[in-house]
């Protein structure tokens, strides 16, 4: 299976991004983690994007504030890029959200919610599952488990309150 690359704009993004690692591990997806910055290490970020294929199948980029990392990576690869806008500044993540999501036509970044690290990992898994039947069924089972858990909570709440 191809690996997922997880790139942080700064080490300060790690506490949020770590939540993605657990999801990738749950589904047995190999991954590698790096810190590259669109502004502080632009040459290294570009070089990584240029050489990410064929080892990697999806690239997750997390950045806050003027969050250009996902766009800068997407500019240099046609691998799918998922952006996680990080809430790390005075504007509560709205700055990073708009910087990440508003890409020009032809260079997409699939942007998840502010601090949405888990969904970035789930989306990466779904992209890889297109060519990995085992992974596809692991994701299906996980969805079924989540539904069953919610239905059980509904049953308990209904038994307690709905007289
Ligand atoms: C962004 O600026 C990083 O992704 C981080 O979210 C934010 C602040 O970075 P540090 O100043 O904490 O390194 O580039």
């Amino acid at each position: 299976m191809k690996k997922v690359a997880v790139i942080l704009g700064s080490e300060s993004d790690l506490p949020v991004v770590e939540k993605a690692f657990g999801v990738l591990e749950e589904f047995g997806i190999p991954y590698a983690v790096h810190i590259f910055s669109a502004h502080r290490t632009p040459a290294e970020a570009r070089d990584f994007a240029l050489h990410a294929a064929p080892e990697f199948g999806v690239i997750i980029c997390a950045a806050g504030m003027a969050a250009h990392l996902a766009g800068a990576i997407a500019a240099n690869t046609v691998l799918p890029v998922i952006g996680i806008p990080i809430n790390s500044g005075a504007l509560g993540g709205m700055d990073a959200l708009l910087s990440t999501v508003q890409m020009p036509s032809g260079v997409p970044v699939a942007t998840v919610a502010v601090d949405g690290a888990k969904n970035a990992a789930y989306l990466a898994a779904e992209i890889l599952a297109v060519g990995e039947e085992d992974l596809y069924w692991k994701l299906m089972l996980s969805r079924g488990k989540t539904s069953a858990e919610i239905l059980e909570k509904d049953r308990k709440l209904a038994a307690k309150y709905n007289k």
Side-chain angles (χ1 to χ4, degrees), residues 6 18 54 58 71-72 74 79 92 103 114-115 137 141-142 147 159 161-162:
V6 184
E18 271 176 337
V58 185
L79 292 176
M103 289 296 291
V114 172
D115 291 348
W137 287 111
L141 271 175
S142 168
S147 296
Y161 294 108
N162 302 351

Side-chain angles (χ1 to χ4, degrees), residues 9-10 12-13 40 62-65 86 88:
S10 166
S12 65
D13 300 324
R40 293 164 172 162
M65 298 168 72
I86 301 290
S88 62

